[in-house]
């Protein structure tokens, strides 16, 4: 898949992690039903690989599905076997390198200018600023874009609706949103509340990108 184009088109990556595999799968399918096009299942999710496998079967081949928290070479191989279309890492390491070898585009975690340069040298398609809130929020993103105006930056960590708008206004290509969007849905919480949050975030992202 063309990860850079997908991020530019959809502007939002939903990050699913939870303790209940059945609830996590329902969460993925609910997000997809609400029009969220880019969904990442963190490998920290209980039985994450099975969730990815079942989600891939349910969604079919046309819906992008990512594996998150890809740390090791084994993580990357397992995510690839499970049917992930892209890999997301919290930093640079074997998980990223192996994912690229397997043909998976990578959204690589970075924080500093040195890491931005390193990630691009290693072939990352896009750069996840993580943890974005602790790094300095939208102001830090704006400063980082000074020397790297053409990079595809995706802030992740502490991104609520207001922050999503602010990051996109500061030049983010997309935002990654976990608990402010997912809530307790992947732990067995209500899907109706998830639907409401998905619609609100989707609207916020569209408005900010308009």
């Amino acid at each position: 898949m063309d990860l850079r184009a997908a991020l530019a088109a959809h502007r939002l990556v939903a990050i699913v992690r939870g303790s209940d595999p059945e609830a996590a799968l329902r969460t993925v399918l609910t997000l997809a039903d609400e029009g969220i096009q880019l969904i990442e299942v963190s490998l920290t999710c209980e039985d994450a690989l099975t969730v990815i496998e079942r989600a891939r079967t349910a969604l079919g081949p046309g819906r992008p599905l990512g594996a998150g928290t890809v740390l090791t070479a084994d993580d990357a191989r397992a995510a690839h076997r499970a049917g992930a279309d892209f890999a997301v890492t919290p930093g640079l390491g074997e998980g990223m390198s192996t994912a690229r070898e397997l043909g998976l585009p990578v959204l690589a975690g970075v924080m500093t200018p040195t890491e931005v340069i390193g990630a691009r040298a290693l072939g990352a398609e896009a750069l996840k600023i993580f943890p974005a809130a602790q790094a300095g929020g939208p102001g830090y993103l704006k400063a980082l874009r000074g020397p790297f105006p053409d990079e595809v930056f995706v802030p992740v960590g502490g991104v609520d609706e207001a922050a999503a708008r602010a990051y996109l206004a500061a030049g983010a290509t997309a935002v990654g949103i976990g608990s402010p969007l997912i809530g307790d849905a992947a732990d067995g919480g209500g899907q109706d509340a998830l639907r409401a949050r998905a619609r609100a975030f989707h609207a916020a992202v569209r408005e900010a990108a308009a």
Side-chain angles (χ1 to χ4, degrees):
M1 66 172 290
D2 187 336
L3 181 59
R4 292 169 68 92
L7 291 167
H10 303 301
R11 314 301 297 273
L12 169 62
V13 181
I15 303 166
V16 177
R17 61 171 60 87
S19 59
D20 183 333
E22 291 295 332
L25 176 62
R26 288 195 300 272
T27 296
V28 171
L29 300 182
T30 296
L31 291 167
D33 188 53
E34 290 298 330
I36 305 296
Q37 296 295 316
L38 295 173
I39 302 171
E40 164 197 339
V41 177
S42 171
L43 295 186
T44 60
C45 188
E46 185 70 24
D47 203 9
L49 294 171
T50 299
V51 174
I52 293 171
E53 289 175 355
R54 294 177 64 191
R56 166 54 65 223
T57 298
L59 294 174
R63 180 68 67 100
L65 184 62
T69 324
V70 175
L71 298 175
T72 68
D74 286 344
D75 287 342
R77 295 186 191 104
H80 185 255
R81 288 193 299 268
D85 297 296
F86 62 97
V88 184
T89 73
L92 311 182
E94 287 185 355
M96 176 186 171
S97 300
T98 301
R100 294 291 297 118
E101 291 169 5
L102 293 168
L104 293 177
V106 176
L107 173 56
V110 300
M111 185 181 285
T112 67
T114 298
E115 290 171 349
V116 171
I117 293 168
R120 295 299 293 136
L122 292 169
E125 278 76 11
L127 305 176
K128 165 180 148 180
I129 301 176
F130 176 80
Q134 290 78 3
Y140 183 71
L141 167 66
K142 186 174 181 179
L144 198 59
R145 289 191 70 244
F148 306 108
D150 300 321
E151 295 298 343
V152 174
F153 287 117
V154 183
V156 177
V159 182
D160 58 16
E161 284 185 53
R165 292 187 179 94
Y167 281 120
L168 292 170
T173 299
V175 290
I177 305 175
S179 57
L181 168 58
I182 306 305
D184 64 353
D187 297 311
Q191 296 292 306
D192 287 343
L194 173 65
R195 288 185 182 277
R197 290 191 298 271
R199 291 167 187 167
F201 271 103
H202 210 178
V205 169
R206 285 198 304 268
E207 290 167 8

